[in-house]
Each structure stands twice: as C-alpha cells, then as structure tokens.
C-alpha cells in the first residue's frame, strides 16, 4: 500500500504515504476536531515542527483562523515548506448548495492563509438550511435537523467541487461520512472521482466493508477518531474506553508501545491514513512515532474482532443522531 517506509527515529523518519487522487497523503496526520481555540494553533505549530506533514481541518470546527495563523508562522520561518504539508478541509452541511461551494472554500483558504488545499471534502451527506438563525446546526424545536429547502442534489454540489479542482483551489476532492450507496451516486455522475473517504474507524467500528469498497474503487480511506474518542465532549456514559481493552493492551505490551500507538498502527497496517487528534505536545509526538513497529495479520484481525462485542456494524462514537431524520442520513440502519 505504501509509497515509502523508513523505520528510523521520529526526528528523521520519512512518513509512509498512500495515494490520494493526484497526491501522496502521509499516513499519519494531526486531527483538529474538538481542539479548542487558544490551544489548537500551538498544537498545529508543534506538530509541524516535529515532522508532521498532514493536517486535517474543517470550517465547522470553528478554529481555522487560528490554524491558519500557525501555518503562516511555521511556513514563514522556512523550516517547513507549504508544499511539504498535506492540508485537508471540509465543506459544511449549511454550504451544500451549488452557489455556496466556491465562497465556502474561499473562506476556508482565507482563514487558513493558504492558496490551495490538498484535499477538500463534503463533510457529511446531509444538506442543512443555509440561512437559519441557529447557524451551523439548524435544528427545529424537537431537535431535528432542518434541511436545505432547495434540496440540492449530490451531483450538483459535486460539480461545483470539481470546479475548485479546475481553478487550482483544491488538488483533490472527496467525501466524509458517506455510505456506499451515496458514494455510488457520486461515482455515477462525476467527472472527477472522489479521491478519499474519511470516516470514523477503530477496532470497535472497523468499517471493513466500506474499506474493501474503497480499495476496490481506488478511493483512499482515512480514519478519524482512531482511539474511539476517549476524551470526547460527546462521550456517552456507556461508552467503553478502547485504550483499556485487554486485547489492545496485550498487543501494546508485546511491542513495547502504548495502546494509542497500537490503534494508530492498526490503521496504517490496513493501508489507511489516520488523523489522531491531540493538543498535548508529548502525545502529538507519540502519535506520529508508529513507523518503528508493525502488527501481524493475526493482531490486526484480533483488533477488528473487538467490534463483535457490539451490535453490527460496531460502536459508533460520532453518529450525529440529531440529524437522523434527514433524508440523507448515512447510518439509518443504526438508529
């Protein structure tokens, strides 16, 4: 799966890459979801100064201006060049209307202080009301999502995403949180194929069927929440901490690494990219240091089997079930 592998120390290692459209995507990146303003910029700066070459962003995280300031500071210093870093951002649901795609991307580029994105994703398949008083999360009095009344099609929105590639604003375009049927609808009508699918993936929810589909169709698979969100503000009371799982801990002990490193390497050994989030300097460095070991096929299978402790397809930590009534909600079978 990999373009290059160098099993050297974190300070000098060359990170493996996978093909993502026309680009090479480093397999480990820094996620910025739930990284609060005031700390996210420092985290991004620390990551870039410690050999990270992949940063994952999104407008709805409400921190892109601070991330952009960190980009500007690091790139201006000259130690790291912009073209060495793979940067992703995402089109939010309230901008999933053809006339809003271009302006939304322009705002993200301005906030991130960049001339182009390496990857721009449709964040979720649900279009939401673009001009509602409740802003980015328009919900009615019953807590249900308010869709865009114009009901824009995937094909119409995707055509505008393709124009961003034509204009040089994005090198690649892709999808996030789409199911197979929804991806198929894009593939049927597209001029530029989705380069990537970004979804939640970890041993409690390995998404193996979706992964197989992506590999068959030449779509890069990027795993978010690879540790199953142990510190998430959306964590549910019944959620089991994957870092405390006996199988994970046993494999970590066998390789003399941390449980978190096992969960990150789990994605790498399946040929995926992975974007663990952290704002803790030592953890940021630790999360990248996963090229010095690899898991056996048996260990990967043991980790995937953890999902069998839950009803199929597994335990999803980011289901945004308040959007469950939307016609395009991707996980209807899990409601």
């Amino acid at each position: 799966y990999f373009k290059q592998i160098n099993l050297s120390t974190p300070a000098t290692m060359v990170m493996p890459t996978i093909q993502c459209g026309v680009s090479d995507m480093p397999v480990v990146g820094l996620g910025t979801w739930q990284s609060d303003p005031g700390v996210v910029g420092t985290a991004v700066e620390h990551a870039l100064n410690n050999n990270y070459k992949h940063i994952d962003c999104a407008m709805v995280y409400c921190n892109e201006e601070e991330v952009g300031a960190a980009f500007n500071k690091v790139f201006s210093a000259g130690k790291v060049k912009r073209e060495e870093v793979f940067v992703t951002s995402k089109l939010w649901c309230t901008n999933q209307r053809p006339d809003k795609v271009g302006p939304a991307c322009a705002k993200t580029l301005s906030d991130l202080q960049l001339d182009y994105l390496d990857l721009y994703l449709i964040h979720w398949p649900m279009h939401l009301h673009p001009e509602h008083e409740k802003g980015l999360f328009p919900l009615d009095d019953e807590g249900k999502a308010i869709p865009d009344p114009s009901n824009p099609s995937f094909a119409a929105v995707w055509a505008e995403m393709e124009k961003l590639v034509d204009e040089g604003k994005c090198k690649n375009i892709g999808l996030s949180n789409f199911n197979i049927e929804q991806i198929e609808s894009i593939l049927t009508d597209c001029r530029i194929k989705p380069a990537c699918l970004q979804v939640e993936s970890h041993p409690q929810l390995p998404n193996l069927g979706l992964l197989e589909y992506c590999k068959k169709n030449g779509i890069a698979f990027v795993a978010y929440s690879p540790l199953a969100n142990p510190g998430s503000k959306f964590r549910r009371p019944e959620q089991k901490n994957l870092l405390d799982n006996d199988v994970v801990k046993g494999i970590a002990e066998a390789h003399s690494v941390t449980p978190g490193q096992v969960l990150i390497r789990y994605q790498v050994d399946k040929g995926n990219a992975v974007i663990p989030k952290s704002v803790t300097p030592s953890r940021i460095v630790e999360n990248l240091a996963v090229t010095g070991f690899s898991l056996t096929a048996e260990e990967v299978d043991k980790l995937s089997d953890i999902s069998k402790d839950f009803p199929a397809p597994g335990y999803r930590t980011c289901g945004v079930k308040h959007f469950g009534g939307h016609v395009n909600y991707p996980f209807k079978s899990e409601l």
Side-chain angles (χ1 to χ4, degrees), residues 27-308:
V27 294
V28 180
L30 179 75
T32 59
W33 179 45
Q34 299 188 74
S35 294
D36 293 331
V39 295
V40 66
T42 302
V44 169
E45 186 179 341
H46 184 74
L48 291 173
N49 285 326
N50 284 274
N51 216 40
Y52 273 76
K53 297 292 188 284
H54 177 181
I55 307 293
D56 183 84
C57 314
M59 181 273 269
V60 78
Y61 302 164
C62 298
N63 58 17
E64 287 196 323
E65 283 191 50
E66 188 173 335
V67 172
F71 283 158
N72 183 57
K73 182 178 180 181
V74 173
F75 297 150
S76 296
K79 179 183 175 183
V80 181
K81 297 177 181 177
R82 162 65 185 101
E83 57 268 26
E84 296 174 337
V85 180
F86 191 102
V87 180
T88 299
S89 190
K90 308 176 191 77
L91 177 77
W92 182 239
C93 304
T94 52
N95 288 321
Q96 282 186 40
R97 183 182 281 190
D99 64 344
K100 289 187 172 293
V101 174
C105 182
K107 176 68 163 64
T108 275
L109 287 171
S110 175
D111 286 348
L112 292 177
Q113 301 188 42
L114 301 177
D115 295 325
Y116 68 91
L117 293 169
D118 296 275
L119 178 63
Y120 197 43
L121 306 176
I122 298 179
H123 204 152
W124 285 87
M126 297 90 66
H127 53 70
L128 296 176
H129 199 300
E131 290 145 0
H132 196 273
E133 61 182 9
K134 293 186 179 177
L136 297 176
F137 297 91
L139 304 176
D140 63 20
D141 292 340
E142 295 180 353
K144 296 179 180 178
I146 303 174
D148 186 334
S150 71
N151 192 28
S153 68
F154 289 149
V157 174
W158 189 255
E160 295 302 315
M161 297 283 283
E162 291 173 326
K163 289 179 184 177
L164 298 174
V165 177
D166 298 339
E167 295 164 358
K169 294 175 181 173
C170 305
K171 289 190 174 184
N172 304 281
I173 49 177
L175 307 169
S176 181
N177 300 303
F178 277 56
N179 62 35
I180 289 176
E181 182 181 356
Q182 292 166 335
I183 300 169
E184 281 285 331
S185 72
I186 298 282
L187 289 174
T188 300
D189 294 319
C190 68
R191 176 168 59 86
I192 300 174
K193 189 175 79 171
C196 163
L197 176 70
Q198 185 181 123
V199 291
E200 179 177 347
S201 180
H202 45 75
Q204 291 175 346
L205 184 76
N207 262 321
L208 297 179
L210 199 53
L211 173 59
E212 181 181 357
Y213 173 85
C214 285
K215 291 198 180 301
K216 188 186 303 181
N217 287 277
I219 298 171
F221 187 101
V222 179
Y224 72 73
S225 300
L227 311 188
N229 282 319
S232 172
K233 61 187 74 172
F234 302 106
R235 183 177 179 81
R236 300 196 292 278
E238 79 280 8
Q239 186 171 328
K240 296 181 180 179
N241 191 337
L242 191 53
L243 295 170
D244 290 335
N245 181 278
D246 287 341
V247 173
V248 177
K249 290 196 296 185
I251 293 173
E253 187 175 341
H255 290 277
S256 299
V257 296
T258 68
Q261 287 174 315
V262 166
L263 296 175
I264 294 167
R265 185 72 208 192
Y266 168 72
Q267 299 296 340
V268 174
D269 281 326
K270 291 194 295 178
N272 305 338
V274 54
I275 47 171
K277 167 259 175 184
S278 182
V279 295
T280 305
S282 61
R283 192 69 48 76
I284 289 171
V285 172
E286 174 189 305
N287 287 346
L288 194 67
V290 295
T291 58
F293 74 103
S294 60
L295 304 178
T296 66
E298 182 183 16
E299 287 171 332
V300 170
D301 289 344
K302 280 184 177 179
L303 289 167
S304 295
D305 284 346
I306 292 173
S307 65
K308 295 177 181 177

Side-chain angles (χ1 to χ4, degrees), residues 15-36:
M15 180 55 60
T17 62
I18 60 171
Q19 192 70 35
C20 179
V22 301
S23 303
D24 294 334
M25 173 190 280
V27 294
V28 180
L30 179 75
T32 59
W33 179 45
Q34 299 188 74
S35 294
D36 293 331

